[in-house]
Amino acid sequence: MSIRIRQLKYLLGWLIAGTRGGVTRAKIIETLRETPQNANQLANSLEMDYRTIRHHLKLLEKNRIITSTGDGYGNTYFLSTELEKNYGLFEEIVNKLWKKQKREKKK
């Protein structure tokens, strides 16, 4: 595993499994993989608060997990090239997270 891929894996692990908003960020990433969207579209499709979505988008963009094009309200978000190439790392982390949540719910 190259250093760059290892760094991406650690970053995704922290953003998805290591912080409170990880589940929301995982849902955003999964949704954007299907189709690029703006913040309002994401808020509607995920049935979440617009400001919450904006917060997570800013964090994901700051960490170069997603990128955007356009201005202001119409700003459209999509996965970064790096994440597209290494989407399996994201799936691996998300699968571990979902399994962990299922185990915790059973307790």
Side-chain angles (χ1 to χ4, degrees):
M1 184 182 299
S2 76
I3 292 172
R4 190 141 173 85
I5 292 173
R6 193 173 313 133
Q7 289 172 335
L8 179 61
K9 184 175 183 176
Y10 289 137
L11 179 60
L12 285 170
W14 175 73
L15 286 169
I16 304 304
T19 57
R20 217 174 66 182
V23 172
T24 299
R25 288 189 281 277
K27 289 177 182 178
I28 289 170
I29 290 169
E30 289 173 336
T31 303
L32 291 178
R33 184 168 193 229
E34 293 173 22
T35 181
Q37 298 182 35
N38 67 30
N40 188 55
Q41 291 167 325
L42 277 167
N44 288 332
S45 64
L46 295 174
E47 297 178 348
M48 297 181 79
D49 180 65
Y50 175 79
R51 289 189 310 205
T52 300
I53 293 294
R54 292 280 308 138
H55 165 77
H56 292 292
L57 288 171
K58 285 179 186 176
L59 187 62
L60 290 169
E61 191 168 29
K62 177 183 172 188
N63 286 284
R64 298 183 180 135
I65 301 299
I66 63 171
T67 58
S68 64
T69 185
D71 290 328
Y73 182 78
N75 209 7
T76 301
Y77 298 89
F78 50 95
L79 301 186
S80 69
T81 304
E82 192 74 23
L83 183 58
E84 283 281 351
K85 286 191 242 177
N86 298 289
Y87 195 77
L89 293 175
F90 168 76
E91 291 176 316
E92 183 182 314
I93 291 163
V94 168
N95 287 336
K96 287 179 185 176
L97 178 64
W98 296 157
K99 285 178 186 176
K100 181 181 174 187
Q101 284 187 333
K102 284 181 185 177
R103 282 194 307 263
E104 290 175 357
K105 284 183 181 179
K106 288 181 182 179
K107 291 181 181 179

